[in-house]
Amino acid sequence: MEYKVAITDTNVEGIGGAVKKAIALAGGFCPEDNTIIAIKPNLTSDKCHSDSGITTNVEVVEAVVRHINASAKGCKILIVESDSDGTAARAFKRLGYEDLAARYDNVKLVDLSQDKFVKLLPPDDAKVRSFDIPETLLSINYFISIANLKRHVHECFSGIWKNSWGLPSHRLVRLKYHPFLPEALFDLNRLFWPDLSIIDGVVGLDGAGPLDGFPRKIGKIICSK
């Protein structure tokens, strides 16, 4: 049976097994051969560890990489993130993403903050008139968003839509949109609608969020297309 939203248990399946099962239950993800796939984890801070509930567990991302490599041939996988509380480069190193990329010939880490950018114009009814988007994102064929199960001091809940906030290239430019963040997130996600959405609920974040709070072990993977 196919579900619009699938929830699996890492305590039963393990992280890799839970991710694989959740993708299958949500209808699967079978990219075409020789395509470019961007995976956007939530690496909000370079000061936290994977059990903090703040950043995406690298094991969840690796399980998605293995699924892609088992489903298609010749795909190039880009793990993308931009600077936030600290730098994307330090977060990649601290959280195990450099080691992940070293294990797979077709995986590359992309620091979007260092990329050239282009201005993209949302539809006419958008609140935001333009977004500075890293050039790398214009070359991808598929977009996978992997968020964290946590609260956000402005938005109450930080899920897939909030995870896309790391796509615009400049952290200071993103800050000016906070007074109307819901509308800005709506506009941004119309430009970059995920082909696969996963929420890492291995450890969630209780409290104010997205950086302050208390880790809470939940042991769930949530997946949808």
Side-chain angles (χ1 to χ4, degrees), residues 121-194:
L121 305 181
D124 291 340
D125 60 346
K127 177 80 171 182
V128 179
R129 295 312 311 134
S130 68
F131 285 105
D132 292 344
I133 297 296
E135 200 171 53
T136 295
L137 297 176
L138 303 184
S139 68
I140 65 175
N141 304 108
Y142 300 95
F143 174 50
I144 299 175
S145 184
I146 306 181
N148 291 67
L149 188 59
K150 61 182 180 179
R151 288 172 50 85
H152 190 282
V153 66
H154 295 302
E155 294 304 301
C156 297
F157 172 72
S158 178
I160 289 299
W161 274 38
K162 180 63 175 64
N163 192 38
S164 294
W165 202 233
L167 296 180
S169 57
H170 201 291
R171 177 178 62 86
L172 296 179
V173 172
R174 296 197 302 266
L175 288 175
K176 75 179 184 180
Y177 294 131
H178 273 196
F180 48 94
L181 188 55
E183 295 91 341
L185 287 172
F186 180 80
D187 296 339
L188 181 61
N189 277 278
R190 283 200 287 179
L191 292 175
F192 291 95
W193 188 266

Side-chain angles (χ1 to χ4, degrees), residues 17-171:
V19 171
K20 181 178 179 180
K21 183 176 180 180
I23 293 174
L25 290 173
F29 176 68
C30 298
E32 294 184 6
D33 294 344
N34 303 308
T35 50
I36 302 174
I37 303 168
I39 299 177
K40 167 64 174 69
N42 185 340
L43 308 184
T44 310
S45 175
D46 63 11
K47 304 173 183 66
C48 302
H49 52 81
S50 59
D51 293 330
S52 65
I54 294 172
T55 59
T56 303
N57 190 315
V58 69
E59 291 184 56
V60 175
V61 177
E62 184 164 16
V64 175
V65 169
R66 290 199 301 266
H67 173 85
I68 293 170
N69 288 340
S71 303
K73 297 179 180 179
C75 290
K76 183 177 181 181
I77 301 172
L78 308 177
I79 299 177
V80 303
E81 184 57 293
S82 60
D83 295 349
S84 184
D85 178 46
T87 69
R90 286 199 298 265
F92 283 144
K93 183 177 182 65
R94 179 179 174 84
L95 297 169
Y97 285 82
E98 284 189 355
D99 294 335
L100 167 62
R103 290 194 288 272
Y104 298 89
D105 293 337
N106 64 328
V107 175
K108 178 183 177 182
L109 304 181
V110 178
D111 182 349
L112 298 178
S113 298
Q114 302 301 315
D115 205 353
K116 295 180 181 179
F117 69 87
V118 296
K119 286 191 178 294
L120 288 189
L121 305 181
D124 291 340
D125 60 346
K127 177 80 171 182
V128 179
R129 295 312 311 134
S130 68
F131 285 105
D132 292 344
I133 297 296
E135 200 171 53
T136 295
L137 297 176
L138 303 184
S139 68
I140 65 175
N141 304 108
Y142 300 95
F143 174 50
I144 299 175
S145 184
I146 306 181
N148 291 67
L149 188 59
K150 61 182 180 179
R151 288 172 50 85
H152 190 282
V153 66
H154 295 302
E155 294 304 301
C156 297
F157 172 72
S158 178
I160 289 299
W161 274 38
K162 180 63 175 64
N163 192 38
S164 294
W165 202 233
L167 296 180
S169 57
H170 201 291
R171 177 178 62 86

